[in-house]
Amino acid sequence: KQEVTQIPAALSVPEGENLVLNCSFTDSAIYNLQWFRQDPGKGLTSLLLIQSSQREQTSGRLNASLDKSSGRSTLYIAASQPGDSATYLCAVAMDSNYQLIWGAGTKLIIKP
Amino acid sequence: ETGVTQTPRHLVMGMTNKKSLKCEQHLGHNAMYWYKQSAKKPLELMFVYSLEERVENNSVPSRFSPECPNSSHLFLHLHTLQPEDSALYLCASSQDRLSGNNEQFFGPGTRLTVL
């Protein structure tokens, strides 16, 4: 059974720092991995989607990497800003049925 | 805006009430999903519809009843809920379910409180 873990559960850093959020999964038979952002009281916004054949994806200050064999993904945020404060969720789509299995999220606070 | 809307945004109901949550997607997608999000827990998939046919029901209690009258609309009918059902209920859609076009787009959610 696939399990997705995100560490840390919460993170607080000063504005301007570069930071890394971690996501690990137990079953490497994934189709893709997605990173989402959730602002308080709101739905989820897709940030990056990495296919299982890819190693990384970039969008602006965000870079997501995928190491399928070791069951890990990282989300790198460069030059963090207070507007980056949110909960970040990762989800893996299984090869067998494309169903998303979710992590519990990392709550990120960027201090001005 | 993700192209997926949900109403109401907030709902407070007693355990004996009957209410419905509504979701509408304007993306031309063929698959729609209901998720439950409880505090500090991963999202739980409740129901999946593909081309208006329910294809997955992840052992959800019968007090939750979904309805998908067409590919753009999805409802979740609620009756005799329990306080532990209080959560954020999220609707999502994707182009397809069983293909690589599985990127999901989410609505803002309905915050449900059961008294």
Side-chain angles (χ1 to χ4, degrees), chain B residues 43-93:
Chain B
L43 268 72
E44 301 171 51
L45 179 64
M46 300 176 71
F47 300 103
V48 180
Y49 276 83
S50 180
L51 295 172
E52 302 152 49
E53 179 183 346
R54 187 163 76 189
V55 294
E56 298 220 21
N57 172 357
N58 286 357
S59 303
V60 177
S62 60
R63 57 186 183 268
F64 294 92
S65 175
E67 178 190 1
C68 187
N70 55 62
S71 60
S72 299
H73 294 85
L74 185 64
F75 294 89
L76 187 62
H77 303 299
L78 316 171
H79 62 97
T80 59
L81 294 191
Q82 304 297 312
E84 60 264 30
D85 296 322
S86 298
L88 182 67
Y89 289 83
L90 292 163
C91 172
S93 70

Side-chain angles (χ1 to χ4, degrees), chain A residues 89 102-105, chain B residues 36-44 84:
Chain A
L89 298 156
W102 294 82
Chain B
K36 176 183 179 182
Q37 187 178 34
S38 303
K40 294 185 168 50
K41 293 174 66 175
L43 268 72
E44 301 171 51
E84 60 264 30

Side-chain angles (χ1 to χ4, degrees), chain A residues 43-87:
Chain A
L44 280 65
T45 302
S46 179
L47 296 174
L48 290 164
L49 184 154
I50 311 178
Q51 300 293 351
S52 62
S53 58
Q54 297 176 319
R55 298 284 293 183
E56 65 178 336
Q57 282 286 346
T58 298
S59 176
R61 294 183 294 108
L62 305 180
N63 176 279
S65 69
L66 175 63
D67 185 339
K68 187 176 158 183
S69 61
S70 67
R72 289 188 298 183
S73 175
T74 62
L75 179 67
Y76 175 83
I77 303 177
S80 59
Q81 303 170 358
D84 295 328
S85 298
T87 296

Side-chain angles (χ1 to χ4, degrees), chain A residues 30 97 100:
Chain A
I30 66 170
N97 59 8
L100 291 182

